[in-house]
């Protein structure tokens, strides 16, 4: 394949792999990635060179360590740099060592993880909690442990990858409903229940969709689940701890009398400055997952340092201070949305610490990412295969730790980078043949 031909290839052509050997199966894609690297428009696998905060050092292509404004880190309430959490990690390491050395199903559970589970039960009012080593593992493990092949499953079409993958493997009676569309969900449920009254139906959705900055209607969800005798699995990865008066996200709107049909899943990676995940549910769910959740049984328990951080951050998040931080986060999100709109930037959704900037065109998105990197701003470019082709976007992570001047500054720089990327594309389209850089897509 000629170099020019490679440059014009779309990434999706490489999704399928053909060939008998690993070399045959990886070479074309590697060449395409290398050409993007050379053109400076490969933004995966950035290497950071300092602790993450709103200002973070990143290693450049030339190997230098460059200070950058950081809009790429999930730290909703600004917990990452807190000394109490660093001390909690050290204390946990001293009391419980550096490694759990075993699956949590067997001997990997310790007194810190048990304490976190008790705290989760206390703040949410659910009967039981169980911790996983990541949020992905918790969401995937809950579905794989609870849904079996006779069951029906209806999930929001934009649900996170861990929910989709688990659903695909759990049952062939799997349907999607249009994003947050409760009428469409009802159509699905009514059809299923008309045909089958004896098997379980699971509804799967999220409390806050990060890529779209929106939520389903909690009252309709519960009403429909009750009407059609369905079980709801709700992923609170993005809103637990950072949304709502009590910090419980969408759970604040779910009545307690529905808890017997509710399973909550979530992550500690966005608000609690650690890695880990959890599942909450009525009595019986925990024991079931201990034995039937593959990511619980066949994967190592979270490290003592992670659990020490989560344990302490739970205290902070669900305290008066946590409430203040949630208010500050909300102010920052609103201010960021106002500043970005003032720059003519297309943002979607209306809530949540992830502000999705829609770009669409992959070339513009890649060139804007390069411009931003050069002007000292780190953003996450989301492109195919994470989103469909021509739906490229930036996923800006807003934190309670940001100041208004920081937000104003990056909004202006983002506006400028997007303008420059768009005019670069216009110039090229006028002056064929195109340059290598712009053809790299
Ligand atoms: C909705 C949702 N669920 C689950 C996860 C996985 O969480 P973790 O990063 O803790 O594995 C994510 C992560 O982005 C997410 O957005």
């Amino acid at each position: 394949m000629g170099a020019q031909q490679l440059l014009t290839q779309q990434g999706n052509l490489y999704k399928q792999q053909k060939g008998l050997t690993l070399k045959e199966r990886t070479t074309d894609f590697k060449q395409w990635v290398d050409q993007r690297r050379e053109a400076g428009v490969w933004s995966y696998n950035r290497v950071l060179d300092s602790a993450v905060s709103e200002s973070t050092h990143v290693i450049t292509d030339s190997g230098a360590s460059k200070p950058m404004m950081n809009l790429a880190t999930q730290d909703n309430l600004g917990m990452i740099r807190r000394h109490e959490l660093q001390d909690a990690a050290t204390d946990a390491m001293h009391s419980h060592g550096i490694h759990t050395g075993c699956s949590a199903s067997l001997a990997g559970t310790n007194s810190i993880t048990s304490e976190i589970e008790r705290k989760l039960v206390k703040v949410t009012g659910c009967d039981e909690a169980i911790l996983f080593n990541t949020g992905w593992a918790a969401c995937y493990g809950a579905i794989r442990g609870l849904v079996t092949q006779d069951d029906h499953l209806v999930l929001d079409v934009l649900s996170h990858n861990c929910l989709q993958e688990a659903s695909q493997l759990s049952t062939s009676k799997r349907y999607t409903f249009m994003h947050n569309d409760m009428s469409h969900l009802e159509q699905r449920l009514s059809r299923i229940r008309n045909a089958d009254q004896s098997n379980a139906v699971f509804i799967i959705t999220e409390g806050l969709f990060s890529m779209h900055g929106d939520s389903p209607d909690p009252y309709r969800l519960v009403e429909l689940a009750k009407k059609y005798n369905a079980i709801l699995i709700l992923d609170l990865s993005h809103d637990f701890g950072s949304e709502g008066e009590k910090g419980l996200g969408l759970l604040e709107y779910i009545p307690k009398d529905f808890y017997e049909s509710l399973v909550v899943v979530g992550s500690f990676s966005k608000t609690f400055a650690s890695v880990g995940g959890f599942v909450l549910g009525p009595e019986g769910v925990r024991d079931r997952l201990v034995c039937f959740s593959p990511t619980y049984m066949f994967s190592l328990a979270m490290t003592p340092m992670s659990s020490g951080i989560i344990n302490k951050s739970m205290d902070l998040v669900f305290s008066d201070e946590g409430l203040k931080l949630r208010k500050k986060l909300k102010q920052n999100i609103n201010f960021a949305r106002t500043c970005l709109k003032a720059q003519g930037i297309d943002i979607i959704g209306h809530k949540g610490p992830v502000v999705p900037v829609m770009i669409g065109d992959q070339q513009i998105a890649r060139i804007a990412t390069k411009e931003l990197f050069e002007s000292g701003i780190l953003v996450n470019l989301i492109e195919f295969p994470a989103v469909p082709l021509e739906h490229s976007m930036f996923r800006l992570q807003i934190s309670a730790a940001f100041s208004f001047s920081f937000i104003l500054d990056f909004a202006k720089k983002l506006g400028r980078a997007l303008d420059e990327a768009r005019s670069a594309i216009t110039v090229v389209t006028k002056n064929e043949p195109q340059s290598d850089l712009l053809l790299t897509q």
Side-chain angles (χ1 to χ4, degrees):
M1 191 179 291
Q4 190 63 25
Q5 218 179 331
L6 270 173
L7 283 168
T8 53
Q9 295 279 326
Q10 295 275 359
N12 63 326
L13 293 184
Y14 299 106
K15 202 175 173 198
Q16 299 300 330
Q17 301 181 58
K18 292 216 167 72
L20 289 178
T21 64
L22 281 175
K23 196 167 172 52
E24 281 168 340
R25 296 168 69 84
T26 55
T27 302
D28 280 1
F29 184 66
K30 170 136 181 54
Q31 279 179 333
W32 179 74
V33 170
D34 282 347
Q35 283 172 344
R36 279 187 63 177
R37 277 200 190 100
E38 272 162 37
V41 288
W42 181 252
S43 51
Y44 291 97
N45 265 175
R46 293 273 189 228
V47 180
L48 305 193
D49 194 33
S50 67
V52 281
S53 68
E54 60 269 37
S55 168
T56 296
H57 280 71
V58 183
I59 306 277
T60 64
D61 292 341
S62 66
S65 180
K66 177 175 173 156
M68 307 201 55
M69 293 174 87
N70 181 6
L71 276 297
T73 292
Q74 306 179 138
D75 183 24
N76 297 350
L77 295 188
M79 291 286 186
I80 288 184
R81 278 187 308 163
R82 292 190 70 127
H83 292 296
E84 305 96 303
L85 299 190
Q86 291 171 8
D87 292 345
T90 316
D91 292 347
M93 185 176 71
H94 287 139
S95 62
H96 288 75
I98 54 170
H99 188 37
T100 47
C102 193
S103 149
S105 285
L106 301 170
T109 299
N110 59 43
S111 49
I112 311 178
T113 49
S114 298
E115 195 176 342
I116 298 168
E117 289 175 357
R118 283 195 293 277
K119 286 181 183 172
L120 283 167
V121 164
K122 193 164 174 222
V123 295
T124 61
C126 293
D127 288 348
E128 296 181 343
I130 177 166
L131 300 196
F132 285 71
N133 53 14
T134 66
W136 201 99
C139 300
Y140 181 92
I143 296 172
R144 296 290 286 123
L146 295 173
V147 182
T148 53
Q149 57 190 7
D150 289 332
D151 300 326
H152 303 266
L153 185 155
V154 193
L155 83 159
D156 188 294
V157 70
L158 295 185
S159 298
H160 189 263
N161 167 274
C162 52
L163 307 172
Q164 302 267 4
E165 299 236 349
S167 300
Q168 269 164 22
L169 284 175
S170 297
T171 173
S172 56
K173 298 183 204 164
R174 169 189 166 273
Y175 317 88
T176 52
F177 63 95
M178 287 184 286
H179 180 51
N180 284 342
D181 186 335
M182 294 297 117
S183 310
H184 196 214
L185 171 62
E186 173 149 34
Q187 279 173 31
R188 295 284 200 219
L189 293 172
S190 129
R191 245 198 184 166
I192 293 167
R193 273 288 172 246
N194 281 339
D196 182 355
Q197 282 90 49
S198 49
N199 287 304
V201 179
F202 287 83
I203 302 170
I204 300 182
T205 189
E206 298 181 20
L208 173 63
F209 283 83
S210 66
M211 299 278 202
H212 285 71
D214 56 12
S215 302
D217 176 345
Y219 304 114
R220 283 284 286 149
L221 264 181
V222 171
E223 190 184 299
L224 292 177
K226 282 183 175 171
K227 184 170 170 187
Y228 295 98
N229 194 15
I231 298 164
L232 174 63
I233 299 185
L234 186 61
D235 183 347
L236 297 187
S237 288
H238 287 276
D239 49 346
F240 188 71
S242 61
E243 286 272 325
E245 184 79 12
K246 297 185 200 147
L248 301 180
L250 208 71
L251 190 62
E252 287 185 20
Y253 304 94
I254 308 273
K256 288 264 174 4
D257 71 357
F258 181 71
Y259 275 25
E260 63 188 28
S261 302
L262 175 71
V263 175
V264 174
V265 293
S267 162
F268 292 114
S269 69
K270 290 112 190 19
T271 304
F272 298 84
S274 196
V275 281
F278 60 86
V279 180
L280 306 164
E283 206 174 73
V285 164
R286 192 180 191 288
D287 286 340
R288 169 107 206 145
L289 296 183
V290 167
C291 293
F292 291 101
S293 170
T295 43
Y296 194 77
M297 180 167 262
F298 300 108
S299 186
L300 211 91
M302 68 168 65
T303 67
M305 285 80 81
S306 295
S307 48
I309 296 166
I310 296 166
N311 197 21
K312 182 69 192 171
S313 60
M314 283 281 295
D315 295 342
L316 291 169
V317 167
F318 298 106
S319 69
D320 289 347
E321 195 182 344
L323 179 60
K324 273 193 212 138
L325 290 170
R326 280 190 288 283
K327 285 189 177 149
K328 173 68 174 133
L329 174 64
K330 190 152 251 163
Q331 283 172 357
N332 280 358
I333 295 166
N334 291 340
F335 187 65
R337 286 184 164 274
T338 308
C339 294
L340 291 163
K341 279 187 192 150
Q343 294 296 317
I345 294 169
D346 181 14
I347 53 174
I348 60 163
H350 55 94
K351 62 195 280 203
V354 177
V355 177
V357 171
M358 305 312 286
I359 301 166
D361 186 294
Q362 298 175 114
Q363 300 185 64
I364 293 176
R366 288 174 190 159
I367 292 166
T369 312
K370 178 175 150 64
E371 301 273 350
L372 283 168
F373 193 83
E374 280 164 6
S375 61
I377 302 192
L378 186 66
V379 293
N380 287 327
L381 166 62
I382 311 292
E383 56 177 346
F384 179 88
V387 289
L389 282 169
E390 301 307 333
H391 283 69
S392 300
M393 60 189 278
F394 289 139
R395 195 173 188 262
L396 304 181
Q397 300 281 164
I398 307 300
S399 167
F402 291 175
S403 65
F404 277 6
S405 59
F406 177 90
I407 294 171
L408 187 59
D409 195 16
F410 82 67
K412 284 184 183 159
K413 287 180 174 154
L414 182 58
R416 232 174 288 141
L418 281 169
D419 286 347
E420 277 167 26
R422 284 198 184 97
S423 54
I425 292 287
T426 319
V427 168
V428 169
T429 347
K430 275 190 196 151
N431 306 318
E432 302 284 331
Q434 301 183 341
S435 80
D436 283 358
L437 167 64
L438 297 169
L439 278 167
T440 307
Q441 56 175 310

